[in-house]
Amino acid sequence: NAAGGIHGRPLSLVEMDDKQNRDSALLAMAEFQRQGVVAVIGPATSSMAVAVTPVANANHLLLVAPTATTTTLSGLDDYFFRATGDTAFYGDAAAGWHFAIGLRRVALALDMANTDYTENWGKSYAQTLVALGGSVVHIERFTSTQKPDYQAIAHQLTQGAPDLVVTVASSSDSALI
């Protein structure tokens, strides 16, 4: 801005918190539109990206998501761009690596608070692992925003004697499990 902004137009930062809640994310998009925002860095999660992309498309508002990886938004001609690969790539790569190092029986923990990410990732992972000759011995779904019983989740995940437990969740929820 000190040098004149972009073509003489100064930039300003407008911050919003979607609270990992669809209604809050849509309210934030309405506020961006009201303020004349032309580009959004975000949202951070796949489920929020799925929720707001139709609004962004209708209003020609560019979304650049640094971490939203759902395959639901892959290959579309829209205003959503990501700065990373999609979940199919990461789930497939992780399963291939786990199998290559001898891990065959896997339990998955999927956080439904970001289902567009976790279900996509888990599906890709499971398909690849099974195709290679491994197995998913248990899938435990939980919703981090509903204060789950992490000890009970951990207990369920270990019941099938897996070689590995994979949590598809935030780092804090994964640590608690």
Side-chain angles (χ1 to χ4, degrees):
N1 285 341
I6 298 177
H7 302 294
R9 184 176 175 187
L11 299 176
S12 62
L13 178 64
V14 178
E15 296 180 60
M16 297 282 173
D17 181 1
D18 63 30
K19 300 174 183 158
Q20 189 58 24
N21 174 281
R22 179 183 171 81
D23 293 336
S24 295
L26 293 171
L27 285 172
M29 290 297 286
E31 182 60 19
F32 286 147
Q33 184 179 356
R34 188 189 71 70
Q35 291 188 32
V37 169
V38 297
V40 172
I41 299 172
T45 66
S46 294
S47 288
M48 295 304 98
V50 168
V52 301
T53 295
V55 175
N57 291 340
N59 294 289
H60 308 285
L61 177 62
L62 178 66
L63 297 177
V64 180
T67 54
T69 59
T70 180
T71 56
T72 304
L73 297 173
S74 296
L76 304 176
D77 184 11
D78 60 9
Y79 284 82
F80 172 80
F81 292 84
R82 69 175 110 234
T84 187
D86 70 23
T87 54
F89 170 80
Y90 293 112
D92 180 62
W97 184 69
H98 291 154
F99 190 85
I101 63 171
L103 302 168
R104 301 293 188 264
R105 296 172 42 79
V106 177
L108 294 173
L110 307 177
D111 182 0
M112 298 295 95
N114 190 14
T115 189
D116 292 290
Y117 166 69
T118 59
E119 286 288 347
N120 283 182
W121 198 99
K123 179 180 177 183
S124 174
Y125 181 94
Q127 286 175 339
T128 299
L129 185 68
V130 169
L132 291 170
S135 64
V136 175
V137 297
H138 184 74
I139 298 176
E140 186 70 19
R141 290 174 174 84
F142 69 98
T143 304
S144 61
T145 56
Q146 296 177 355
K147 299 181 182 180
D149 180 345
Y150 293 106
Q151 187 173 7
I153 292 168
H155 179 75
Q156 288 299 318
L157 288 165
T158 58
Q159 289 305 295
D163 299 328
L164 173 70
V165 172
V166 175
T167 58
V168 189
S170 72
S171 55
S172 57
D173 291 304
S174 297
L176 289 169
I177 292 170

